[in-house]
Amino acid sequence: TIQIFDCSRLEDGNYYLDMNPGVRCFTAEHKRTLPVAALGVVFYVLALPCYVSVVLVRNRASLYTDRAVFLRYNSLFSRFWSKYWYMEIVGLGKRLAIVCVTTFFSSYPLVIVGLLLVLFVGLAAFSLSHRPFFMGVHNELDAQISGVLVTVLLCGFAFFSSTLSSSGARTACSVLTIGV
């Protein structure tokens, strides 16, 4: 739903959708889809995370002690130690950040790589140092997934930027990406 708002100016001076360069932005055709996309953004991107945040913040003192609250909302927080009750909100923010960065900075690959590296490495470091998950294996798994994402991101960027000039380097990067 966010992609419908991601337009880039091309050589002819007009704006076109990044996801479909055949569709010109701000035309009658494009404007007809905007209300539906805006509703999707309001509901999925804003309302749902806000609802989760309000529920968790409002009930944070009784999340682990009130049986009714626990039974109703435990899927939002029970994977985490009580002092990290907010980590589901962090996870929603992480996913939103990934979508926004890759959508709205699509013309700036270096910015995408930099921002995603900060996001993935920062959250992996937090997960390893604070160990917010109740089950220890989830902390390591979270950090390993971030490591895989960083590897794939860097290898993808290397391919995109054509810094891998030899076929051996391309093969090694391909094997590394597939291996992780």
Side-chain angles (χ1 to χ4, degrees):
T1 55
I2 290 180
Q3 291 178 335
I4 198 74
F5 302 104
D6 185 23
C7 299
S8 294
R9 189 177 197 162
L10 298 183
E11 294 85 26
D12 68 357
N14 293 311
Y15 288 87
Y16 295 88
L17 283 178
D18 281 353
M19 70 175 179
N20 184 358
V23 177
R24 202 168 136 198
C25 294
F26 315 116
T27 62
E29 176 189 5
H30 181 246
K31 289 179 182 177
R32 275 194 303 269
T33 61
L34 292 179
V36 174
L39 281 174
V41 168
V42 166
F43 181 73
Y44 291 111
V45 177
L46 301 174
L48 190 59
C50 285
Y51 172 75
V52 169
S53 299
V54 166
V55 163
L56 290 176
V57 168
R58 187 177 295 163
N59 295 294
R60 71 179 174 268
S62 60
L63 290 174
Y64 293 88
T65 57
D66 184 321
R67 183 169 169 74
V69 170
F70 184 84
L71 290 174
R72 185 165 186 182
Y73 301 116
N74 78 70
S75 63
L76 300 175
F77 65 86
S78 64
R79 295 175 296 151
F80 307 103
W81 292 105
S82 60
K83 71 178 187 176
Y84 299 109
W85 57 268
Y86 55 86
M87 287 304 291
E88 186 64 30
I89 300 168
V90 172
L92 289 170
K94 174 184 175 181
R95 290 185 281 284
L96 178 60
I98 291 169
V99 169
C100 288
V101 165
T102 56
T103 299
F104 295 116
F105 294 102
S106 58
S107 299
Y108 307 100
L110 193 57
V111 172
I112 291 174
V113 170
L115 291 174
L116 291 180
L117 279 174
V118 167
L119 181 68
F120 296 148
V121 171
L123 288 175
F126 179 86
S127 188
L128 286 174
S129 65
H130 292 274
R131 306 185 65 72
F133 288 95
F134 183 73
M135 294 185 67
V137 69
H138 291 161
N139 295 304
E140 284 79 24
L141 184 60
D142 187 50
Q144 289 171 357
I145 289 171
S146 291
V148 167
L149 289 171
V150 166
T151 302
V152 170
L153 178 67
L154 292 176
C155 285
F157 182 71
F159 269 92
F160 176 79
S161 65
S162 301
T163 57
L164 302 175
S165 56
S166 73
S167 64
R170 284 192 299 275
T171 302
C173 195
S174 296
V175 168
L176 177 65
T177 302
I178 292 169
V180 296

CSV table of all heavy atoms in Angstrom, one decimal, residues 46-56 72-73 76:
chain,number,residue,atom,x,y,z
A,46,LEU,N,-0.6,2.4,10.4
A,46,LEU,CA,-0.7,3.3,11.5
A,46,LEU,C,-1.6,2.7,12.6
A,46,LEU,O,-1.2,2.6,13.8
A,46,LEU,CB,-1.3,4.7,11.1
A,46,LEU,CG,-0.5,5.4,10.1
A,46,LEU,CD1,-1.2,6.7,9.6
A,46,LEU,CD2,0.9,5.8,10.6
A,47,ALA,N,-2.9,2.3,12.3
A,47,ALA,CA,-3.8,1.9,13.3
A,47,ALA,C,-3.4,0.6,14.0
A,47,ALA,O,-3.5,0.6,15.3
A,47,ALA,CB,-5.2,1.8,12.7
A,48,LEU,N,-3.0,-0.4,13.3
A,48,LEU,CA,-2.7,-1.6,14.0
A,48,LEU,C,-1.5,-1.5,14.9
A,48,LEU,O,-1.6,-1.9,16.1
A,48,LEU,CB,-2.4,-2.7,12.9
A,48,LEU,CG,-2.3,-4.1,13.4
A,48,LEU,CD1,-3.5,-4.6,14.1
A,48,LEU,CD2,-2.0,-5.1,12.3
A,49,PRO,N,-0.4,-0.9,14.5
A,49,PRO,CA,0.7,-0.7,15.5
A,49,PRO,C,0.3,0.2,16.6
A,49,PRO,O,0.8,0.0,17.8
A,49,PRO,CB,1.9,0.0,14.6
A,49,PRO,CG,1.6,-0.5,13.2
A,49,PRO,CD,0.1,-0.5,13.1
A,50,CYS,N,-0.5,1.2,16.4
A,50,CYS,CA,-0.9,2.1,17.4
A,50,CYS,C,-1.8,1.3,18.4
A,50,CYS,O,-1.7,1.5,19.6
A,50,CYS,CB,-1.7,3.3,16.9
A,50,CYS,SG,-0.6,4.5,16.1
A,51,TYR,N,-2.7,0.5,17.9
A,51,TYR,CA,-3.5,-0.3,18.8
A,51,TYR,C,-2.7,-1.2,19.7
A,51,TYR,O,-2.9,-1.3,20.9
A,51,TYR,CB,-4.5,-1.2,18.0
A,51,TYR,CG,-5.3,-2.2,18.8
A,51,TYR,CD1,-6.3,-1.8,19.6
A,51,TYR,CD2,-4.9,-3.5,18.8
A,51,TYR,CE1,-7.0,-2.7,20.4
A,51,TYR,CE2,-5.6,-4.4,19.6
A,51,TYR,CZ,-6.6,-4.0,20.4
A,51,TYR,OH,-7.3,-4.9,21.2
A,52,VAL,N,-1.7,-1.9,19.1
A,52,VAL,CA,-0.8,-2.8,19.9
A,52,VAL,C,-0.1,-2.0,20.9
A,52,VAL,O,0.1,-2.4,22.1
A,52,VAL,CB,0.2,-3.5,18.9
A,52,VAL,CG1,1.3,-4.2,19.7
A,52,VAL,CG2,-0.6,-4.5,18.1
A,53,SER,N,0.4,-0.8,20.5
A,53,SER,CA,1.2,0.1,21.5
A,53,SER,C,0.3,0.5,22.6
A,53,SER,O,0.7,0.5,23.8
A,53,SER,CB,1.7,1.3,20.7
A,53,SER,OG,2.6,0.9,19.7
A,54,VAL,N,-0.9,0.9,22.3
A,54,VAL,CA,-1.9,1.4,23.3
A,54,VAL,C,-2.2,0.3,24.3
A,54,VAL,O,-2.2,0.4,25.5
A,54,VAL,CB,-3.1,2.0,22.7
A,54,VAL,CG1,-4.2,2.2,23.8
A,54,VAL,CG2,-2.8,3.3,22.0
A,55,VAL,N,-2.5,-0.9,23.7
A,55,VAL,CA,-2.8,-2.1,24.6
A,55,VAL,C,-1.7,-2.4,25.5
A,55,VAL,O,-1.9,-2.6,26.7
A,55,VAL,CB,-3.2,-3.3,23.7
A,55,VAL,CG1,-3.1,-4.6,24.5
A,55,VAL,CG2,-4.6,-3.1,23.1
A,56,LEU,N,-0.5,-2.4,25.0
A,56,LEU,CA,0.7,-2.8,25.8
A,56,LEU,C,1.0,-1.7,26.8
A,56,LEU,O,1.3,-2.0,28.0
A,56,LEU,CB,1.9,-3.1,24.9
A,56,LEU,CG,1.8,-4.4,24.1
A,56,LEU,CD1,3.0,-4.6,23.2
A,56,LEU,CD2,1.6,-5.6,25.1
A,72,ARG,N,-5.7,-12.5,27.3
A,72,ARG,CA,-6.2,-11.8,26.1
A,72,ARG,C,-5.1,-11.3,25.2
A,72,ARG,O,-5.2,-11.3,24.0
A,72,ARG,CB,-7.0,-10.6,26.6
A,72,ARG,CG,-7.6,-9.9,25.5
A,72,ARG,CD,-8.7,-9.0,25.9
A,72,ARG,NE,-9.4,-8.4,24.8
A,72,ARG,CZ,-10.3,-7.5,24.9
A,72,ARG,NH1,-10.8,-7.1,26.1
A,72,ARG,NH2,-10.9,-7.0,23.8
A,73,TYR,N,-3.9,-10.9,25.8
A,73,TYR,CA,-2.9,-10.2,25.0
A,73,TYR,C,-1.5,-10.9,25.0
A,73,TYR,O,-0.6,-10.4,24.5
A,73,TYR,CB,-2.7,-8.8,25.5
A,73,TYR,CG,-3.9,-7.9,25.5
A,73,TYR,CD1,-4.5,-7.4,26.6
A,73,TYR,CD2,-4.5,-7.6,24.3
A,73,TYR,CE1,-5.7,-6.6,26.6
A,73,TYR,CE2,-5.7,-6.8,24.2
A,73,TYR,CZ,-6.2,-6.3,25.4
A,73,TYR,OH,-7.4,-5.6,25.3
A,76,LEU,N,1.2,-10.9,22.3
A,76,LEU,CA,2.0,-9.6,22.0
A,76,LEU,C,3.2,-9.4,22.9
A,76,LEU,O,4.1,-8.6,22.6
A,76,LEU,CB,1.1,-8.4,22.2
A,76,LEU,CG,-0.2,-8.3,21.4
A,76,LEU,CD1,-1.1,-7.2,21.8
A,76,LEU,CD2,0.2,-8.3,19.9
